[in-house]
Amino acid sequence: MSGTGTRGPAHRSGAVYAGVDIGGTTTQVLLCTPGLAVLDRFETATPAGGPAMLDAVLGGLRGLLDRRPARLLGVGVGAAGVVDARAGRVVAASDSFRDWAGFEVTATLEAALGVPAFLDNDVNAFLRGEVTGGAVAGEPDVLGMTLGTGVGGALWLGGALLDGPHGAAGEIGHIPGFGALPCSCGGRGHLETLAAGRSVAARYRERTGRSGTAREVAAAARGGDAEARAVFEAAGTGIGRALLMTAGLVDVTTAVLGGGVTGAWDLLEPAIRRVLAEEPPVSGQPVRLVRAGLGGDAVAVGAASRARAELARRPGASAQASGALREPVPDAGPASGAAGACASGR
């Protein structure tokens, strides 16, 4: 796929950024204008194995550029797992992924596309998207949390992403203190064991002996199933505690939540707000709880935003790329996809 960076007559669709979301269940590729409006999209089930995952991304991007010829400026990727954003590779991943830890994501994409590529943890990209043009647009200090196949967290402090020296800042989903159940990462008692989509399903199965997806457990809870309601009560309680931990440690009192499990917002929100009311942060400032506004597009839009920002900072950046930072970001509103329904993952 070499040469895609110059594919297509620029006068037809202008210049675009690509944003990629590689999740535990679904991989999505978006083409975005310099103002980050979504022009077109590709979505597929995430295949097994690092090479196959990148092949799916490249194939999807090829199809989009064939359908909508444009000059590709750069690619941003939000990927599940702990990533080294500076080196552009995956450091560690859960047991949902094979041959993903250590994978050289940006080098692979740049060799195939001939344009710069940038890598973020998917939750960091989610938060960047929501701060750029979603539910917390323009806010300087925010905790982002995604509830999907797993539970992830990210921090936006002083108007910039805090990724930490090892790329794991804000990962509240993998801090112990939420029981003793084994977590997908190999630890025990992490928030993910209560609040991830597959964990919701597993906790319900333990209580009842009945199997079902998180969406089905949510439907049962709405239908009056006390055991299903108890599972979401435990998830919401854990999330509330995690938000209070973050507020106490880094004094961030705005939190934006997204991911497929937030489709059960009506079941989660009461427990979260109860915990927040029972023990407010020591700062005295209440925690502001916000549901994500970009829906299933948040990670890919945030990844495209990262590519746009990085390229605009480079010496000799084109006027078009630099000017893009001054364009208003459109209000995308709730996108179709995972945020609209409770699912076992994105």
Side-chain angles (χ1 to χ4, degrees), residues 21-24 53 77-85 89-97 100-102 119-125 146 149-153 166-169 171 174 184-185 192 346:
D21 172 10
I22 302 176
M53 290 154 70
V77 178
V82 178
V83 308
D84 184 335
R89 65 173 177 265
V90 179
V91 175
S94 75
D95 58 4
S96 298
F97 297 90
W100 193 226
L119 176 67
D120 265 321
N121 166 271
D122 58 349
V123 190
N124 290 351
T146 57
T149 302
V151 173
H166 308 106
E171 285 291 357
H174 292 283
S184 65
C185 69
E192 183 169 301
R346 289 187 296 108

Side-chain angles (χ1 to χ4, degrees), residues 61-87:
L61 184 53
R62 175 188 295 116
L64 291 176
L65 290 170
D66 283 343
R67 192 161 68 209
R68 188 182 288 270
R71 181 165 58 92
L72 183 63
L73 297 175
V75 180
V77 178
V82 178
V83 308
D84 184 335
R86 296 165 183 84

Side-chain angles (χ1 to χ4, degrees), residues 317-342:
S318 69
Q320 185 170 15
S322 299
L325 289 175
R326 296 189 291 273
E327 294 185 33
V329 177
D331 180 7
S336 61
C342 184

